Amino acid sequence: MKVVLLISNEPWGKQWFSKHHYANELAKLGNLVYFIDPPKSWKWRNLINHKIQIKKIKPNLYKLTYNNFLPVKILPSLALKMNDWFNSRRISKAIPYNEIIIWQFDVFRFIYNFFKYSKKIYHVVDPYLHLNSDQLLAKNSNLVVCTSKFNIGHYEALNRNVIHIPHGVPKELEVDKNEARNIKDIFGRFFLLIGSVNARVDLSLLSFVVKNIKSKILIIGPNFLEGESRFNFEEICTNKNVEYLGEMEYGLLKNYVHNALAGLVLYKKRVANDGDGSPLKVLNYISQFVPVISSIDADIPQLENEIIYFARENSEFLDLLNRAEDGFLYANRTKTRQYLASLQYEELINKVISNLK
């Protein structure tokens, strides 16, 4: 049994991202996994409250929470290093081990590895290439895993051991037919936009889609926008053909995907040092054989124009939306099924571990 400390920038909760799936699948494979939630905002009592909390989620899987000793806003570089040292010592005492794998998804903490008898995996699923901490992590890890081929060159310049592993697909994809039928009765025909609503979402394109479709658009995911962007998104949601359902438990999402005319990926165009690769939402869509209309290259060339469609201009987007509404957007189930079969988590995890030196 391996002991894995999985460091996530997203807390354990309703919505699952790659790190949640990896934690769940690693535990199912018999590893002892500690999912490290991001710490909450710093408070003065953190100077004396050094408590570590460990809560069992399921067999072999635990959630671990802690507070930072020092505020990172004051002397951030020094505070980060001291927090990493202090928190590593506390966690090491809370979970005794002989050897440990640090599986790192977070680019904002544990940049410095003070865990003894450990090996570190830096798993890159978000575009943080411009951050100094990203470069430090890449240089100081035993292995860098990239979900995006667009980022490989950046990390190969920093680490000799870099591999490309696309997002994985869990096995539990069975749809609740009764629930799916209820969703169809309630919402009728709809397009679907899932995932976090954040600064990467192209609100102008979303507004264009809303104004040019006859069917509804359902939006599912937490809203992280602020200021004017948040106001603009809320304004879009006032349209009569928009339903914003907020955050949803991972297990329920597939019932909505199953009914969608098409799944949407509405990201802003890539700029330099901003490779996002194949978004996880694409796999959620195609797992139910729902065609995808995307504003960015989804980095799955074998499924391009087979179930994934890339629109470079609004006119192309409109054409694809119309084809989806008319039921003419092709989804090649055979090729999609073959591709998904290669992305089972057990296979991906074994490949990662076998490359860890």
Side-chain angles (χ1 to χ4, degrees):
M1 175 183 287
K2 289 182 170 63
V3 180
V4 179
L5 200 65
L6 193 145
I7 302 168
S8 170
N9 58 322
E10 303 280 355
W12 189 270
K14 291 181 179 180
Q15 188 170 0
W16 280 22
F17 300 92
S18 293
K19 57 277 289 183
H20 303 85
H21 287 294
Y22 269 95
N24 184 55
E25 297 293 335
L26 280 162
K28 284 166 58 177
L29 290 172
N31 302 287
L32 184 57
V33 182
Y34 293 92
F35 186 95
I36 313 299
D37 263 11
K40 295 181 179 178
S41 298
W42 189 85
K43 297 180 180 178
W44 282 104
R45 63 171 177 266
N46 290 9
L47 293 170
I48 57 174
N49 181 10
H50 304 157
K51 189 176 181 181
I52 297 258
Q53 292 183 323
I54 298 177
K55 180 181 178 181
K56 185 174 182 179
I57 298 173
K58 58 183 292 185
N60 294 334
L61 179 56
Y62 297 83
K63 182 178 79 168
L64 187 151
T65 56
Y66 70 93
N67 294 316
N68 271 330
F69 178 57
L70 295 174
V72 293
K73 290 184 179 180
I74 302 175
L75 298 174
S77 296
L78 178 60
L80 172 64
K81 197 164 190 174
M82 291 186 68
N83 279 333
D84 283 355
W85 176 79
F86 187 67
N87 294 328
S88 298
R89 289 193 62 190
R90 288 195 292 162
I91 293 172
S92 294
K93 291 178 181 179
I95 53 168
Y97 60 87
N98 294 321
E99 294 180 353
I100 193 167
I101 295 174
I102 313 298
W103 205 307
Q104 179 118 11
F105 290 88
D106 195 337
V107 76
F108 298 108
R109 59 200 171 117
F110 295 107
I111 309 304
Y112 303 94
N113 187 10
F114 293 107
F115 289 94
K116 295 181 179 179
Y117 316 114
S118 67
K119 290 186 177 181
K120 175 172 279 195
I121 300 165
Y122 178 30
H123 202 136
V124 184
V125 297
D126 295 305
Y128 292 127
L129 286 66
H130 60 288
L131 297 179
N132 184 55
S133 56
D134 167 85
Q135 297 185 34
L136 288 172
L137 276 170
K139 289 177 180 178
N140 297 319
S141 295
N142 300 91
L143 171 66
V144 178
V145 178
C146 290
T147 58
S148 171
K149 291 179 181 176
F150 295 106
N151 300 336
I152 293 289
H154 168 82
Y155 291 105
E156 285 182 334
L158 300 168
N159 193 303
R160 293 182 179 180
N161 194 16
V162 180
I163 60 174
H164 172 245
I165 299 281
H167 285 297
V169 178
K171 291 180 180 178
E172 307 94 84
L173 295 172
E174 286 296 319
V175 170
D176 183 328
K177 293 182 179 178
N178 290 330
E179 183 60 26
R181 193 178 299 113
N182 290 337
I183 291 168
K184 188 173 183 180
D185 290 342
I186 293 170
F187 297 107
R189 291 159 52 82
F190 61 83
F191 290 94
L192 186 61
L193 175 64
I194 62 175
S196 299
V197 183
N198 54 31
R200 294 169 65 193
V201 174
D202 189 334
L203 295 181
S204 296
L205 182 55
L206 174 58
S207 179
F208 172 82
V209 171
V210 168
K211 292 174 182 177
N212 286 279
I213 58 174
K214 302 170 187 175
S215 306
K216 281 185 176 291
I217 176 170
L218 303 190
I219 304 174
I220 300 175
N223 181 3
F224 294 119
L225 295 174
E226 297 178 349
E228 185 178 356
S229 294
R230 189 178 188 92
F231 173 81
N232 290 339
F233 174 70
E234 291 172 350
E235 186 77 10
I236 291 171
C237 291
T238 62
N239 284 272
K240 62 181 180 180
N241 64 332
V242 178
E243 295 276 354
Y244 174 53
L245 303 183
E247 190 173 11
M248 183 176 294
E249 286 188 26
Y250 166 73
L252 302 177
L253 187 60
K254 58 196 173 189
N255 301 316
Y256 288 83
V257 175
H258 180 76
N259 285 296
L261 293 166
L264 305 180
V265 179
L266 306 182
Y267 282 156
K268 296 172 183 175
K269 303 298 181 184
R270 283 194 181 92
V271 296
N273 296 325
D274 181 27
D276 24 47
S278 173
L280 185 59
K281 57 173 65 68
V282 169
L283 297 185
N284 283 311
Y285 296 142
I286 68 173
S287 293
Q288 300 297 331
F289 304 107
V290 170
V292 178
I293 305 175
S294 175
S295 61
I296 63 166
D297 182 352
D299 196 16
I300 310 177
Q302 56 268 59
L303 294 183
E304 203 169 302
N305 297 320
E306 299 287 350
I307 191 171
I308 300 172
Y309 298 86
F310 173 33
R312 293 168 176 80
E313 305 292 340
N314 283 5
S315 57
E316 293 179 34
F317 226 96
L318 184 57
D319 176 62
L320 291 169
L321 292 168
N322 289 335
R323 286 166 59 188
E325 281 195 307
D326 293 337
F328 296 135
L329 204 56
Y330 177 60
N332 188 323
R333 286 177 171 252
T334 301
K335 285 189 176 182
T336 302
R337 194 176 285 111
Q338 290 172 348
Y339 176 72
L340 293 173
S342 69
L343 300 182
Q344 296 299 311
Y345 273 103
E346 183 173 355
E347 181 179 336
L348 300 185
I349 288 170
N350 289 336
K351 185 175 181 180
V352 172
I353 297 299
S354 66
N355 280 276
L356 184 59
K357 299 174 183 178

